[in-house]
């Protein structure tokens, strides 16, 4: 598969997790998945979405009632029919680029030899041993996945020599150099802008070093970290003296792994180390006993030899739940197993070596040690039989009556709804799921939001998702909304709405939305399940009123803001030039056009703008006057002319002015070169119609400028070049009177100094604008809302060209369209495997919430990284305790003040103190304060 053959529109979010080369390798892989119960279909779904060449699903068995508890493509009408054949059509519809076929015969060696990867699910031990031995001797990657009730198992054998091309998938670390010593070993000191992210044993390359140029061509060098800003390298004592500059970048090293001696057990919960070892033995015993008696008996496991260190409680509980088949466990183990298939096919990420065990036995009822009567767990010829065998029929009835609110119907939302349908959440009388999502389906969603298909593009996510899960489980009661959950919709999602809920699930993609929803849940004392993913990483959080800590206000602040002066004059990373390009787009083609429309339609616009402060007002009103006056194009040729002059201003004139203020040989007050470290000395560019990037800018900028005025543009470069020949570009001479701020603090001081000058400008602008006369009083501009996924709208064309020209000015390595879209479009990398695993973990916590578990030890928050087999499942933090009138009370921060009002409504000092506490949590509002004062 050539790179051009990869459908970037479909795989765009996955390509930021699995690169083009890895995708091409996956596109050559044929995968066999044996067993089409819940676990098998989960793996198949994720592997097909990932984009291998072909997937063959194999199963000799027929559909039984218990299969419907976890197999989302089986229906009651399929009972008695072959599981693989019943699943083939719907799996085929997931990805047009993947061939899907069904096989209903036994697995023989001739058949197995057709595949590069073989996956066995829910298979007997004898088959695992036989197929595993054949695959190992024939260099076929072999994976075993199994689930038994609340427990799961995973095993991988990728042969005696398996190459991992990228162990973690992280972007190579880089830093700018401040100094390199002549020593043995040489010490590299990085700029103090921020600490480096290198670790011991990494290999690095050097570039752009002046003076000690030997390092620029030295090749990968192993490093040893010395501190937050320094590390040691090879012997540099015989190299030239370091002068200045340089960038150091990590070089990814491949690894060869051997799967010759099985025995390593990967931990998924470090609080259960002994339990995992016990499960390893217990699973084998279950296989042997099933083969002999076709049922599970605790006594058989207990009587095995040499098992003195067993976690007997875990083994006993496994024996009681082993006949169960649970959708959340299949989702979690299926997500992990599918990721191992991706690793086997692509060589990307570190594979499992070799055993992994997982259990969620804490989900069992807290009464009677989780033991239920045989009658309570007996099959009932019900689609929930696989779940009833673990939790009993009374719990199933309780699940059906639940009322839950799901916020978000994207990737995690789709997976949650699938799980809700399979477990029967809200699928009975009095039960209901309300799902809200304001977005419509786009093509890039189809790679991981499996409830949607090509025919659904353009439709509302919540509506299609509701329809899809109704097909999975026709008994589902589900209501679709298209609202954002925010202060503006509090008339819809009122206290009354929340009071009727049993809980809330958050499937959101930004922190602010999570914080707001968390506050709603805390205020209304409702439990919340929250989860999120970032590529191969994912997390889950469970919030239980009065028991666990809430999500709380954002403390990270998101991405670190880039200083304004760095963006304007001193960029040194491609992220800086891309953010600058995005700012240019927003300013030229969106904000100014919106300001013009407000000016034309709102008589108070000028006064309101002036109230925002002189500096901002001058900038806004200058833009309005300019765009309605001297820069108003009359035709397409004027748009091209504007784009050409804009190019000259950005990439030649402004750079010349900067170098006039700070010449190349400028030194600081301490005698050091001004242009060093993070300050890269720029070079003006000379426009050339034969330069592709130069013309990319002209074409995109001219078309966008025409669009905001309603002028039809063109992509014909020959015609545009012809127009350019007649464009007169004014000569530019740098001005000595211009001052350029080096730091944001200097910029702030300069703005203060310009106050009087800005006041004069402001009065002149107000007068000019008052005299503007438009021929067409109905004229309105067309602001451009940035859309990264539409390749026909010139938006990304402009961003890529604008950023890369800026990078060329400053000698920064440029970025291709794919990388530029990730950064400028603020895309969250995503892959179906992580999403499935996270949704599975969230629904395991749902089991506990519905049962009303009150011991915090039974709940789990999770952080996982499927790329490196990193799993941390930990007990949530306890809800903060505050002393109120000599009694210790569990209060979440956003309810503390309301609680205090109920008890001490007359004590204003007490109220004021609680307001200060709430302010520390970031949830203080004036509205709340005045309401309290009135009370």
């Amino acid at each position: 598969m050539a790179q051009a053959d990869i459908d970037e529109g479909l795989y765009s979010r996955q390509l930021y997790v699995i690169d083009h080369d890895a995708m091409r390798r996956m596109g050559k892989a044929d995968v066999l998945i044996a067993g089409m119960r819940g676990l098998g279909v989960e793996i198949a779904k994720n592997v097909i979405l990932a984009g291998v060449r072909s997937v063959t699903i194999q199963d000799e068995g027929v559909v039984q009632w218990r299969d419907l508890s976890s197999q989302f493509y089986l229906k009651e009408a399929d009972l008695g029919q072959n599981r693989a054949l019943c699943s083939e059509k719907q799996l085929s519809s997931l990805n047009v680029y993947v061939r899907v076929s069904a096989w209903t015969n036994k697995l023989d060696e001739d058949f197995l030899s057709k595949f590069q990867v073989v996956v066995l699910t829910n298979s007997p031990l004898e088959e695992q041993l036989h197929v595993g031995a054949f695959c190992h001797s024939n260099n076929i990657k072999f994976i075993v996945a199994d689930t038994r009730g609340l427990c799961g198992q995973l095993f991988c054998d990728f042969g005696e020599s398996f190459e991992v091309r990228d162990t973690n998938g992280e972007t190579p670390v880089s830093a700018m150099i401040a100094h390199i010593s002549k020593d043995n070993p040489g010490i590299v000191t990085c700029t103090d802008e921020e600490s480096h992210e290198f670790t011991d044993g990494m290999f690095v390359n050097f570039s752009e070093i002046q003076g000690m140029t030997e390092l620029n061509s030295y090749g990968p060098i192993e490093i040893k970290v010395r501190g937050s800003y320094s590390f040691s390298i090879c012997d540099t004592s015989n190299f030239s003296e370091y002068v200045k500059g340089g960038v150091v970048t990590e070089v990814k090293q491949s690894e060869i792994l051997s799967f010759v001696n099985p025995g390593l057990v990967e931990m998924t919960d470090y609080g259960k180390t002994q339990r995992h070892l016990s499960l390893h033995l217990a699973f084998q015993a279950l296989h042997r006993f099933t083969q002999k008696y076709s049922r599970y008996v605790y006594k058989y496991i207990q009587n095995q030899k040499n098992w003195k260190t067993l976690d007997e409680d875990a083994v006993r509980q496994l024996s009681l739940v082993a006949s169960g088949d649970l959708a959340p466990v299949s989702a979690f183990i299926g997500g992990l197993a599918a990721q191992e298939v991706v690793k086997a096919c692509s060589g990307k990420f570190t594979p499992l070596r070799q055993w992994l065990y997982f259990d969620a036995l804490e989900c069992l009822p807290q009464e009677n040690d989780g033991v239920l009567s045989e009658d309570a767990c007996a099959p009932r010829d019900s689609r929930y039989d696989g779940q009833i065998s673990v939790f009993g029929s009374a719990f199933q009835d309780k699940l059906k009556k639940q009322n839950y609110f799901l916020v978000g119907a994207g990737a995690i939302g789709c997976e949650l709804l699938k799980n809700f349908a399979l477990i029967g959440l809200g699928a009975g009388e009095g039960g209901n799921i309300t799902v809200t999502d304001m977005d419509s389906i786009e093509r890039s969603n189809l790679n991981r939001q499996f409830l949607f298909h090509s025919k659904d593009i353009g439709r509302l996510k919540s509506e299609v998702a509701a329809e899809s899960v109704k097909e999975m489980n026709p008994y589902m009661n589900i209501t679709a909304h298209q609202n954002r959950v925010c202060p503006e919709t509090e008339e819809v999602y009122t206290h009354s709405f929340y009071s009727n809920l049993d809980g809330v699930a958050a499937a959101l993609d930004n922190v602010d939305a999570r914080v707001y929803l968390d506050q709603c849940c805390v205020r209304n004392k409702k439990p919340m399940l929250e989860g999120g993913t970032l590529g191969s990483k994912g997390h889950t959080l469970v919030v239980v009123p009065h028991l666990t800590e809430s999500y709380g206000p954002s403390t990270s602040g998101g991405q670190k803001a880039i200083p304004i002066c760095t963006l304007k004059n001193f960029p040194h990373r491609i992220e800086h030039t891309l953010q600058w390009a995005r700012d240019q787009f927003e300013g030229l083609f969106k904000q100014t056009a919106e300001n013009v429309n407000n000016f034309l339609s709102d008589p108070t616009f000028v006064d309101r703008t002036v109230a925002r402060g002189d500096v901002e007002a001058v900038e806004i009103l200058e833009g309005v006057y300019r765009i309605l006056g001297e820069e108003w194009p009359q035709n397409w040729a004027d748009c091209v002319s504007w784009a050409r002059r804009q190019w000259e201003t950005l990439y030649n004139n402004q750079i010349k002015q900067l170098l006039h203020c700070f010449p190349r040989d400028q030194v600081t007050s301490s005698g050091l070169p001004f242009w060093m470290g993070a300050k890269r000395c720029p070079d003006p560019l000379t426009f050339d119609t034969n330069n592709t990037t130069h013309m990319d800018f002209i074409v995109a900028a001219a078309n966008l400028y025409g669009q905001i005025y309603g002028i039809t543009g063109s992509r014909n470069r020959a015609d545009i070049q012809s127009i350019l020949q007649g464009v007169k570009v004014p000569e530019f001479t740098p001005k000595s009177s211009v001052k350029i701020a080096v730091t944001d603090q200097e910029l702030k001081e300069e703005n203060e100094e310009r106050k009087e000058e800005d006041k004069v400008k402001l009065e002149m602008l107000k007068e000019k604008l008052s005299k503007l006369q438009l021929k067409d009083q109905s004229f309105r501009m067309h602001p451009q809302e940035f859309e990264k996924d539409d390749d026909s709208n010139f938006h990304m064309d402009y961003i890529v060209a604008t950023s890369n020209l800026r990078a060329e000015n400053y000698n920064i390595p440029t970025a291709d369209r794919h990388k530029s879209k990730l950064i400028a479009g603020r895309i969250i990398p995503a892959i179906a495997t992580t999403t499935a695993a996270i949704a599975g973990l969230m629904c395991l916590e749902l089991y506990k919430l519905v049962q009303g578990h009150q011991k915090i030890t039974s709940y789990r928050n999770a952080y996982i990284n499927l790329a490196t087999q990193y799993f941390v499942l930990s007990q949530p933090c306890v809800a903060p305790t505050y002393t109120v009138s000599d009694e210790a009370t569990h209060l979440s921060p956003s309810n503390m003040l309301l609680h205090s009002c109920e008890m001490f409504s007359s004590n204003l000092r007490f109220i004021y103190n609680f307001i200060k506490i709430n302010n520390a949590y970031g949830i203080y509002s004036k509205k709340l304060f005045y309401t309290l004062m009135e009370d």
Side-chain angles (χ1 to χ4, degrees):
M1 182 191 299
Q3 180 166 333
D5 294 332
I6 297 175
D7 189 338
E8 292 190 358
L10 176 65
Y11 292 117
S12 64
R13 304 309 186 261
Q14 179 175 293
L15 281 166
Y16 296 116
V17 186
I18 304 171
D19 57 57
H20 286 84
D21 288 340
M23 281 290 295
R24 283 195 289 272
R25 290 190 290 271
M26 283 174 54
K28 299 175 182 177
D30 300 309
V31 179
L32 168 66
I33 301 172
M36 276 296 110
R37 288 196 167 104
L39 179 57
V41 78
E42 184 69 48
I43 298 169
K45 178 255 292 179
N46 295 330
V47 171
I48 292 166
L49 290 172
V52 296
R53 180 165 59 190
S54 74
V55 170
T56 300
I57 54 174
Q58 183 271 348
D59 201 316
E60 298 176 73
V62 296
V63 179
Q64 302 170 2
W65 277 111
R66 67 187 297 270
D67 295 330
L68 274 63
S69 296
S70 62
Q71 222 282 27
F72 44 86
Y73 283 150
L74 298 180
K75 298 178 172 60
E76 293 180 17
D78 297 327
L79 290 167
Q81 300 180 52
N82 180 272
R83 284 187 289 256
L85 293 176
C86 291
S87 308
E88 180 183 8
K89 182 178 178 181
Q90 286 170 293
L91 285 171
S92 298
S93 69
L94 291 174
N95 192 335
V96 295
Y97 296 107
V98 180
R99 297 196 309 271
V100 178
S101 58
W103 181 261
T104 59
N105 297 324
K106 290 186 180 297
L107 299 176
D108 57 47
E109 294 182 354
D110 287 341
F111 183 66
L112 292 170
S113 63
K114 299 177 180 178
F115 303 97
Q116 286 76 53
V117 183
V118 170
V119 184
L120 299 186
T121 68
N122 305 114
S123 58
L125 183 60
E126 271 189 317
E127 184 177 51
Q128 293 176 14
L129 295 172
H130 172 73
V131 174
F134 175 81
C135 289
H136 187 85
S137 61
N138 287 273
N139 198 30
I140 298 170
K141 315 304 181 292
F142 178 62
I143 299 170
V144 173
D146 200 358
T147 59
R148 303 294 178 108
L150 286 162
C151 301
Q153 173 196 57
L154 193 59
F155 170 80
C156 292
D157 179 1
F158 292 177
E160 297 183 9
S161 180
F162 179 76
E163 183 182 5
V164 179
R165 292 174 168 83
D166 183 350
T167 58
N168 57 22
E170 300 293 337
T171 302
V173 178
S174 68
M176 300 196 71
I177 299 167
H179 184 262
I180 305 173
S181 69
K182 287 185 65 171
D183 211 339
N184 186 16
I187 305 299
V188 178
T189 304
C190 301
T191 57
D192 59 3
E193 186 182 59
E194 56 186 38
S195 59
H196 68 68
E197 298 176 355
F198 296 103
T199 58
D200 285 345
M202 274 186 177
F203 285 80
V204 299
N205 270 341
F206 292 90
S207 60
E208 304 178 38
I209 294 172
Q210 296 181 38
M212 197 178 285
T213 55
E214 294 90 342
L215 283 174
N216 290 333
S217 57
Y218 196 88
I221 303 171
E222 188 172 0
I223 68 168
K224 185 174 183 180
V225 174
R226 307 266 301 206
S228 299
Y229 299 93
S230 63
F231 55 85
S232 61
I233 53 172
C234 59
D235 181 0
T236 60
S237 56
N238 293 320
F239 291 174
S240 307
E241 284 286 346
Y242 174 81
V243 176
K244 68 175 183 177
V247 176
V248 55
T249 305
E250 177 194 2
V251 179
K252 294 282 186 123
Q253 301 290 302
S254 63
E255 290 187 18
I256 303 297
L257 302 182
S258 177
F259 292 73
V260 175
N261 298 309
L264 297 175
V265 177
E266 186 72 45
M267 296 293 114
T268 54
D269 189 333
Y270 285 92
K272 300 177 178 178
T273 303
Q274 188 58 47
R275 178 176 291 186
H276 290 163
L277 297 174
S278 299
L279 289 176
H280 182 67
L281 298 172
F283 262 81
Q284 294 183 52
L286 281 172
H287 278 298
R288 295 189 181 98
F289 194 83
T290 306
Q291 183 181 4
K292 187 174 183 180
Y293 297 104
S294 298
R295 56 195 179 94
Y296 309 108
V297 175
Y298 169 53
K299 278 289 181 185
Y300 181 86
I301 303 173
Q302 194 180 42
N303 292 334
Q304 299 305 296
K305 297 178 181 179
N306 302 320
W307 286 23
K308 294 180 181 178
T309 59
L310 275 181
D311 180 338
E312 292 200 12
D313 286 341
V315 174
R316 177 181 56 80
Q317 289 176 323
L318 170 62
S319 68
L320 293 172
V321 304
S323 62
D325 193 358
L326 302 176
V329 179
S330 292
F332 179 69
I333 298 296
L336 270 59
Q339 188 67 53
E340 297 306 306
V341 174
V342 170
K343 295 173 185 178
C345 298
S346 67
K348 185 85 179 243
F349 306 137
T350 303
L352 170 66
R353 289 196 303 168
Q354 289 192 265
W355 295 96
L356 177 144
Y357 287 91
F358 170 79
D359 81 88
L361 293 169
E362 64 276 359
C363 290
L364 289 170
Q366 292 182 329
E367 304 81 19
N368 302 321
D369 257 355
V371 178
L372 299 170
S373 68
E374 287 190 23
D375 182 62
C377 299
R380 287 159 167 73
D381 288 346
S382 157
R383 65 181 302 116
Y384 308 114
D385 275 355
Q387 187 165 258
I388 289 172
S389 70
V390 175
F391 294 108
S393 57
F395 175 67
Q396 189 60 55
D397 292 338
K398 196 172 184 180
L399 273 172
K400 291 179 183 179
K401 295 175 183 177
Q402 294 291 299
N403 275 278
Y404 256 75
F405 184 29
L406 172 60
V407 185
I412 292 178
C414 283
E415 293 289 338
L416 286 174
L417 283 172
K418 174 255 292 179
N419 292 339
F420 291 172
L422 291 169
I423 69 176
L425 187 74
E429 186 175 351
N432 189 71
I433 305 295
T434 301
V435 55
T436 187
D437 195 307
M438 63 185 297
D439 289 340
S440 298
I441 297 165
E442 300 174 356
R443 192 159 181 273
S444 62
N445 301 146
L446 307 184
N447 175 238
R448 63 204 180 282
Q449 299 173 22
F450 84 108
L451 297 182
F452 310 142
H453 298 86
S454 296
K455 62 183 175 62
D456 302 318
I457 292 173
R459 295 186 62 197
L460 292 165
K461 286 184 176 182
S462 59
E463 290 183 356
V464 177
E467 292 170 7
S468 296
V469 295
K470 285 280 284 184
E471 289 182 14
M472 290 180 182
N473 183 348
Y475 304 103
M476 286 289 288
N477 302 310
I478 186 164
T479 306
H481 289 183
Q482 293 79 47
N483 303 316
R484 188 190 302 275
V485 179
C486 60
E488 288 72 30
T489 56
E490 287 182 357
E491 291 183 359
V492 178
Y493 303 117
T494 61
H495 174 72
S496 175
F497 172 83
Y498 281 100
S499 65
N500 291 322
L501 297 176
D502 293 294
V504 175
L508 295 158
D509 62 359
N510 69 87
V511 172
D512 290 341
R514 291 182 177 115
V515 169
Y516 175 77
L517 185 60
D518 173 66
Q519 291 174 10
C520 293
C521 291
V522 168
R523 191 163 56 241
N524 292 283
K525 300 178 183 177
K526 296 299 176 183
M528 183 180 81
L529 296 163
E530 191 273 326
T533 68
L534 179 66
S536 63
K537 305 181 186 76
H539 79 272
T540 66
L541 175 78
V542 57
V543 178
V544 187
H546 308 300
L547 185 65
T548 72
E549 188 176 61
S550 69
Y551 186 90
S554 172
T555 56
S556 65
Q559 291 182 335
K560 188 176 179 181
I562 304 170
I564 295 172
C565 287
T566 299
L567 288 176
K568 289 184 71 173
N569 296 304
F570 308 111
H572 54 86
R573 300 174 63 92
I574 196 65
E575 288 83 359
H576 300 160
T577 67
L578 281 163
Q579 182 60 55
W580 180 80
R582 180 70 188 270
D583 291 346
Q584 290 288 318
F585 179 95
E586 297 292 331
L588 291 169
F589 309 121
K590 181 176 184 285
Q591 291 164 2
T592 303
E594 288 175 341
N595 291 335
V596 166
N597 288 345
N598 287 330
F599 170 74
L600 295 175
S601 59
D602 181 2
T604 67
F605 171 75
V606 173
D607 292 336
R608 287 192 295 106
T609 302
V610 170
R612 295 166 72 168
D614 293 348
V615 175
E616 189 175 357
V618 167
E619 184 180 348
I620 291 172
L621 297 182
E622 272 186 342
V624 171
Y625 182 74
R626 189 175 61 250
I627 211 164
L628 287 177
E630 58 193 31
E631 292 188 357
W632 190 325
Q634 300 303 308
N635 49 46
W636 168 237
D638 286 350
C639 296
V640 175
S641 180
W642 174 87
R644 174 65 185 89
R645 292 192 301 274
Q646 186 75 5
W647 190 101
E648 197 71 17
T649 298
L650 296 176
Y651 305 113
N652 187 286
N653 300 353
Q654 289 182 359
I655 302 300
K656 285 180 177 177
Q657 182 64 62
L658 180 62
L659 291 172
H660 181 76
C661 294
F662 305 106
R664 295 183 188 279
D665 57 358
Q666 177 94 359
V667 294
T668 64
S669 57
S670 56
L672 294 173
F674 177 85
W675 294 106
M676 67 175 296
K679 289 186 177 67
R680 304 171 74 98
C681 188
D683 294 293
L685 303 183
T686 301
F687 184 75
D688 181 2
T689 56
N690 294 316
N691 185 301
T692 302
T693 310
H694 294 196
M695 286 301 296
D696 287 345
F697 175 90
I698 299 296
V699 173
N703 274 279
L704 288 168
Y705 201 62
Q707 285 173 19
I708 62 174
Y709 285 96
I711 296 172
T712 302
S714 169
R715 290 182 181 272
N716 190 315
R717 297 201 172 205
D719 287 350
I720 293 172
Q721 286 177 333
S722 178
I723 295 171
L724 288 171
Q725 290 177 5
V727 175
K728 292 182 179 179
V729 179
E731 289 290 330
F732 175 78
T733 302
K735 298 176 182 177
S736 298
S737 60
V738 172
K739 290 183 179 180
I740 294 178
V742 177
T743 66
D744 285 7
Q745 182 59 35
E746 283 186 23
L747 184 63
K748 190 175 181 181
E749 291 169 1
E750 282 185 14
N751 289 338
E752 286 294 318
E753 292 172 4
R754 284 201 341 252
K755 271 192 171 182
E756 290 305 315
E757 182 183 338
D758 285 338
K759 285 185 184 298
V760 174
K761 274 188 180 180
L762 201 51
E763 291 304 316
M764 291 175 61
L765 283 166
K766 287 166 68 176
E767 185 178 354
K768 287 180 180 179
L769 287 169
S770 67
K771 295 178 179 178
L772 267 179
Q773 296 292 327
L774 297 185
K775 294 179 181 178
D776 182 2
Q777 294 298 318
S778 65
F779 171 79
R780 293 295 182 272
M781 302 200 75
H782 306 278
Q784 298 296 296
E785 195 72 41
F786 181 69
E787 173 49 63
K788 58 188 174 292
D789 289 320
D790 183 354
D791 288 337
S792 67
N793 62 10
F794 296 102
H795 294 192
M796 278 310 302
D797 296 342
Y798 178 84
I799 295 292
V800 175
T802 303
S803 169
N804 283 342
L805 287 168
R806 178 81 160 174
E808 191 177 338
N809 274 137
Y810 286 87
N811 197 27
I812 298 169
T814 58
D816 61 16
R817 189 184 187 90
H818 182 67
K819 182 177 181 180
S820 298
K821 184 187 287 191
L822 170 69
I823 299 169
R826 296 163 192 146
I827 289 174
I828 300 173
I831 188 170
T833 51
T834 316
T835 305
I838 288 298
L841 291 174
M842 291 173 71
C843 288
L844 288 171
E845 298 308 302
L846 175 63
Y847 281 148
K848 304 166 191 176
L849 291 174
V850 174
Q851 291 178 87
H853 283 203
Q854 284 304 308
K855 293 180 180 177
I856 197 169
T857 53
S858 79
Y859 290 98
R860 294 290 183 274
N861 291 340
Y863 177 79
I864 65 175
N865 186 348
L866 302 191
T868 57
Q869 298 303 327
Y870 181 75
F871 304 94
V872 175
L873 275 69
S874 60
Q875 179 180 304
C877 294
V878 178
T881 302
Y882 302 94
T883 301
V884 179
S885 186
D886 300 324
E887 292 184 7
T889 307
H890 287 289
L891 290 172
S892 52
S894 57
N895 262 355
M896 288 168 56
L897 186 52
L898 297 178
H899 184 80
S900 72
C901 291
E902 294 169 6
M903 299 181 64
F904 304 100
S905 59
S906 64
N907 192 331
L908 296 183
R909 178 173 293 279
F910 185 86
I911 292 173
Y912 177 69
N913 288 335
F914 269 85
I915 287 176
K916 289 201 294 185
I917 296 172
N918 276 269
N919 194 27
Y921 279 91
I923 56 174
Y924 168 74
S925 69
K926 287 184 180 178
K927 181 179 178 182
L928 180 59
F929 177 82
Y930 290 128
T931 302
L932 288 164
M933 293 303 101
E934 289 171 4
D935 291 340

